[in-house]
Amino acid sequence: GIVARYHGGASISDGDPQSLLPASGGETCPEEKTAIGQRAGQYLKELLLCKEINSVMLMSGSTISEMVRSINYTIPVTTVTDNLDIACTLGRNADNSVMLLGGKVYSPSMSVSGFLAEQMLDYLSADCTFMGTSAIDEEGCIYCYDDKYASLLKKLLTISNRIVVLADHSKLGTASLVKVSRMDESFSLLTDDKASESCLEKYRELGVKIIKA
């Protein structure tokens, strides 16, 4: 099972660490999401090996979950996340230092948002943030589905030195409910090889680094 009981409490068991993450499947472009997540895991490792970052933030999202599934190494810097499943999965490696944002947990995503989470960001900074998005329009604006989460993301972007957005080709050149921010030279976009070159060229003109899975 996931939880092992002992006298006076319980702990995460030594089973498959991936079992804590939502099961893959049922998403659009599942193969592309898996490839993007795996490439993101590799990219994080590259940044760590170059000692370019001292902290990393992993935000909620299906593609971020794929990224976490692919991480089979110790992250030698503090990882901050807004997602309970991600925190528990990475925390099973005793050598990982993991920090979870506080606030209300929303099911089924198991993400945390709200006033308390935003307040906590006032005391943090992130060298690199990995995040998903519901859409990126042709002007390079990123979106999400929920206004409360958009507020958290807006605050997050102000404390992040660099941001890596994970998005498959179906999300490019489209819009969603709530606009969060426009990408600039502090952003990288990690996408798949089916991405529209016309969209990618517009993003490059904004200074966005394009990485393909």
Side-chain angles (χ1 to χ4, degrees), residues 8-9 13 20 29 51 54 63 67 97 102-103 106 120 124 132 134-135 153 160 171 178 203 207-209:
S13 71
L20 295 174
C29 305
K51 297 184 178 180
N54 293 308
T63 313
M67 174 187 179
S97 172
Y106 290 86
M120 189 170 176
L124 299 174
S134 59
L153 291 179
S160 302
K171 296 181 177 180
V178 185
Y203 303 156
V208 178
K209 178 180 179 180

Side-chain angles (χ1 to χ4, degrees), residues 125-156:
S125 66
D127 286 333
C128 187
T129 293
F130 288 80
M131 60 177 286
T133 182
S134 59
I136 308 176
D137 68 20
E138 292 185 352
E139 302 302 318
C141 293
I142 58 177
Y143 292 76
C144 74
Y145 295 116
D146 181 79
D147 60 332
K148 290 182 180 178
Y149 198 59
S151 179
L152 180 69
L153 291 179
K154 281 181 176 289
K155 188 69 168 287
L156 170 69

Side-chain angles (χ1 to χ4, degrees), residues 75-88:
I75 302 175
V77 300
T78 297
T79 301
V80 182
T81 183
D82 67 331
N83 188 276
L84 188 58
D85 290 334
I86 291 174
C88 289

Side-chain angles (χ1 to χ4, degrees), residues 12-209:
I12 302 299
S13 71
D14 294 328
D16 180 7
Q18 297 180 1
S19 64
L20 295 174
L21 295 169
S24 56
E27 297 278 349
T28 59
C29 305
E31 293 181 1
E32 288 82 358
K33 287 180 183 293
T34 298
I36 292 169
Q38 291 175 349
R39 181 66 185 92
Q42 294 171 359
Y43 185 54
L44 173 58
K45 189 174 185 179
E46 292 166 9
L47 294 176
L48 293 169
L49 289 173
C50 294
K51 297 184 178 180
E52 294 188 20
I53 58 175
N54 293 308
S55 59
V56 62
M57 190 165 291
L58 304 179
M59 302 301 288
S60 293
S62 57
T63 313
I64 299 295
S65 291
E66 292 296 338
M67 174 187 179
V68 173
R69 283 190 180 91
S70 75
I71 295 176
N72 57 1
Y73 52 86
T74 295
I75 302 175
V77 300
T78 297
T79 301
V80 182
T81 183
D82 67 331
N83 188 276
L84 188 58
D85 290 334
I86 291 174
C88 289
T89 298
L90 293 178
R92 296 185 68 176
N93 180 342
D95 293 324
N96 282 334
S97 172
V98 183
M99 184 182 297
L100 179 66
L101 293 182
K104 184 176 180 180
V105 178
Y106 290 86
S107 181
S109 67
M110 303 307 289
S111 63
V112 175
S113 63
F115 173 77
L116 293 177
E118 292 183 35
Q119 287 291 103
M120 189 170 176
L121 291 178
D122 284 334
Y123 300 94
L124 299 174
S125 66
D127 286 333
C128 187
T129 293
F130 288 80
M131 60 177 286
T133 182
S134 59
I136 308 176
D137 68 20
E138 292 185 352
E139 302 302 318
C141 293
I142 58 177
Y143 292 76
C144 74
Y145 295 116
D146 181 79
D147 60 332
K148 290 182 180 178
Y149 198 59
S151 179
L152 180 69
L153 291 179
K154 281 181 176 289
K155 188 69 168 287
L156 170 69
L157 296 181
T158 67
I159 66 162
S160 302
N161 294 327
R162 68 171 82 180
I163 304 100
V164 183
V165 180
L166 278 54
D168 66 73
H169 66 277
S170 70
K171 296 181 177 180
L172 307 186
T174 64
S176 185
L177 180 62
V178 185
K179 185 183 295 185
V180 177
S181 178
R182 193 182 192 194
M183 296 189 294
D184 57 28
E185 62 276 0
S186 65
F187 282 75
S188 297
L189 171 63
L190 209 166
T191 188
D192 59 81
D193 57 9
K194 295 180 182 177
S196 164
E197 280 301 325
S198 62
C199 278
L200 296 183
E201 187 56 37
K202 290 179 180 179
Y203 303 156
R204 290 189 184 99
E205 292 174 359
L206 298 174
V208 178
K209 178 180 179 180

